[in-house]
Amino acid sequence: MALRDQKVKIPAGQELQLAVNADYLRIKKSAIAVRFRTKNGDDFEIKQGDEVSIKNFEYVYIKNETAGDEVIDLYTGKDERVGSAELSGSVIISAMPANNGAATQGRVSLTNVNQVILAAKATRKYLMIQNNDAGAVMRVRIDGNAATAAQGFRIPAGSTYAFDGFNVTGAINCMMETATGAAGNVEFAEA
C-alpha cells in the first residue's frame, strides 16, 4: 500500500470508524487534538503534525470531542511514511541584549608579524574585522593566542569576518600570511 492523503469530516461529539489497513498515521491538518483507537486496543490522542507507527492496524476510530464539526486531513500508509518540516510550538525570549549603541572603530597597519589589535574585553558584544589589503591573506586568533602564518581564521584580501551571536571577549591577535607594506590595511569595529 502506498501513502494515502485522506480528509474526513467528523460531526460534533461523534466517533467515525475509518478502514485504513496501515502501520503509519500522521495528522496533516486538524484544528483539534484527535482521539484515536484501533481494533488492536491502542488508545491515544494526537494533534496536527504528530505521527504514529503502530504495527498493522486495519481500522482507526476517530472521535470528535468538540461542539462543532471538524475536518481532519491525515496521511496513512503501510511500510511508507511522510515527514514534515512544519514547526509548531512557541518560543519565549525574555531578554535580548541591546543590538544598538556606540561602536569603536579603528584601523591598523598589519604585516607578517603578530599584533594584538584589540585587548581582551569582557563586555564586548560584537566584533567585525575587515582585511583591506590588496592581496595578502590575514590570520586572526580570538582566544588571546598569537596568530601565525598557519594558525588563525583565514580572512582573504577584501573580505570581512563578523562574529554574530557570539561574544568574543579574548584579545584579538592578527597577522598577514605574507609580508605587506600597505598602511591601514585592517579595519575593525567592536561594541
Side-chain angles (χ1 to χ4, degrees):
M1 172 182 167
L3 283 169
R4 291 180 59 194
D5 186 357
Q6 299 175 287
K7 287 185 180 169
V8 292
K9 183 176 180 179
I10 306 169
Q14 299 291 313
E15 184 174 74
L16 174 76
Q17 178 182 330
L18 183 66
V20 290
N21 190 22
D23 61 9
Y24 171 80
L25 182 139
R26 182 170 81 80
I27 301 294
K28 179 179 176 184
K29 187 167 182 153
S30 176
I32 61 168
V34 180
R35 165 82 43 207
F36 281 93
R37 288 188 305 110
T38 67
K39 185 175 151 182
N40 302 341
D42 301 297
D43 188 357
F44 52 90
E45 182 179 277
I46 62 176
K47 60 187 181 301
Q48 180 173 310
D50 289 346
E51 64 181 10
V52 293
S53 293
I54 301 173
K55 188 170 180 112
N56 298 325
F57 60 94
E58 297 172 357
Y59 298 95
V60 65
Y61 302 88
I62 308 170
K63 185 169 186 179
N64 178 0
E65 298 174 335
T66 68
D69 294 353
E70 293 293 335
V71 175
I72 298 167
D73 193 357
L74 54 99
Y75 292 113
T76 57
K78 189 160 188 114
D79 299 323
E80 302 285 342
R81 59 181 290 140
V82 63
S84 173
E86 185 174 320
L87 300 175
S88 64
S90 61
V91 175
I92 298 171
I93 300 172
S94 58
M96 290 288 291
N99 61 353
N100 56 6
T104 301
Q105 187 168 342
R107 182 176 280 234
V108 296
S109 298
L110 202 60
T111 65
N112 62 337
V113 176
N114 181 69
Q115 183 177 338
V116 177
I117 66 167
L118 289 167
K121 183 177 177 183
T123 59
R124 185 182 294 131
K125 302 293 182 207
Y126 177 79
L127 175 64
M128 180 183 74
I129 302 170
Q130 184 173 28
N131 180 356
N132 291 328
D133 199 89
V137 173
M138 180 172 55
R139 291 288 188 153
V140 178
R141 294 285 303 251
I142 62 173
D143 60 0
N145 292 318
T148 69
Q151 292 183 342
F153 295 112
R154 295 185 87 229
I155 303 178
S159 297
T160 301
Y161 195 82
F163 295 85
D164 293 323
F166 179 75
N167 299 342
V168 179
T169 59
I172 310 303
N173 285 268
C174 301
M175 70 172 287
M176 293 298 180
E177 287 183 355
T178 57
T180 178
N185 58 354
V186 175
E187 194 150 356
F188 59 86
E190 73 171 342

